[in-house]
């Protein structure tokens, strides 16, 4: 119960030239029940002259969403850490994901690894912790193949598909050389 009310959730994002990175960061904060307890670490791999900066674009979205006209302010901006790498020296998603290991705050009890082009349901932070508690295992790792973003309404509520709360599944996997 205490974790539901006080825990810090760290969200790690590896982004390779992804224009949706800012929207993903915005969703982490705008759809969280407790955005003040969310911390974000972004590993950005962009082409400097061509790609928009995830943090700068997030701040612009957040100011518009929360109605802030002061361009020097960034809602929850102090809770976002970003490391910038040139896409020319990128070494793939596994390498990028390894770059955030020391970005995890000491006070974070929960971690979320997500892609830079994800949509979040309303209250995702509390739902994540509740699901972890349901596992009744302090070492539990919760993982899934994410549903299509079209299953989330514009207000952040989930769409009940086929009268059931379905989890996506892969029908087949074909291994190649």
């Amino acid at each position: 119960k205490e974790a539901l009310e006080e825990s810090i959730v760290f969200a790690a994002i590896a982004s390779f030239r992804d224009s949706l990175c800012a929207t993903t960061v915005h969703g982490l904060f705008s759809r969280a029940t407790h955005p003040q307890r969310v911390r974000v670490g972004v590993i950005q791999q962009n082409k400097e002259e061509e790609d928009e900066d995830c943090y700068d674009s997030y701040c612009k979205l957040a100011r518009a969403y929360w109605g802030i006209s002061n361009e020097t302010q960034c809602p929850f901006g102090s809770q976002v850490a970003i490391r910038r790498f040139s896409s020319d020296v990128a070494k793939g998603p596994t390498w990028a994901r390894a770059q955030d290991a020391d970005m995890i705050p000491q006070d974070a009890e929960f971690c979320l690894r997500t892609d830079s082009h994800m949509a979040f349901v309303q209250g995702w932070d509390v739902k994540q912790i509740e699901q972890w508690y349901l596992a009744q295992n302090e070492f539990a790792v919760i993982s899934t193949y994410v549903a299509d973003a079209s299953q989330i309404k514009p207000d952040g509520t989930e769409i009940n598909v086929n009268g059931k709360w379905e989890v996506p599944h892969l029908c087949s996997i074909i291994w190649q050389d």
Side-chain angles (χ1 to χ4, degrees):
K1 177 96 175 149
E2 183 180 305
L4 285 172
E5 298 170 4
E6 300 176 12
S7 291
I8 300 296
V9 178
F10 174 69
I13 300 172
S15 176
F16 181 81
R17 302 194 70 191
D18 195 339
S19 63
L20 294 176
C21 181
T23 304
T24 298
V25 174
H26 181 258
L28 283 163
F29 289 112
S30 65
R31 296 264 173 95
T33 301
H34 304 287
Q36 72 281 5
R37 297 191 335 226
V38 175
R39 306 294 183 271
V40 179
V42 178
I43 302 300
Q44 176 178 277
Q45 301 163 96
N46 277 357
K47 196 169 283 278
E48 192 173 326
E49 301 299 319
E50 296 178 25
D51 301 323
E52 58 186 55
D53 185 80
C54 183
Y55 181 82
D56 293 342
S57 296
Y58 158 70
C59 290
K60 188 183 297 184
L61 280 172
R63 282 192 296 270
Y65 181 80
W66 280 289
I68 297 172
S69 58
N70 182 341
E71 290 195 22
T72 63
Q73 288 186 316
C74 182
F76 304 105
S78 65
Q79 295 166 221
V80 179
I82 186 164
R83 289 203 178 129
R84 295 169 178 87
F85 296 91
S86 169
S87 61
D88 295 334
V89 298
K91 297 176 185 148
T94 303
W95 174 84
R97 288 183 178 109
Q99 301 309 306
D100 62 27
D102 63 343
M103 296 171 81
I104 301 171
Q106 291 289 345
D107 58 350
E109 285 191 67
F110 294 93
C111 294
L112 168 69
R113 163 108 26 231
T114 190
D115 287 336
S116 55
H117 43 263
M118 291 291 133
F120 294 86
V121 297
Q122 197 66 43
W124 69 266
D125 54 332
V126 170
K127 289 179 182 188
Q128 176 187 12
I129 295 169
E130 287 173 343
Q131 288 176 359
W132 182 80
Y133 273 108
L134 287 172
Q136 297 182 354
N137 178 342
E138 68 178 303
F139 302 107
V141 174
I142 300 171
S143 179
T144 188
Y145 188 84
V146 296
D148 189 289
S150 66
Q151 293 182 11
I152 302 173
K153 295 179 186 177
D155 68 356
T157 57
E158 299 156 274
I159 296 173
N160 186 328
V161 180
N162 299 325
K164 299 177 185 175
W165 295 107
E166 294 186 355
V167 175
H169 62 278
L170 301 174
C171 296
S172 66
I173 298 174
I174 299 171
W175 296 102
Q176 296 179 353
D177 290 341

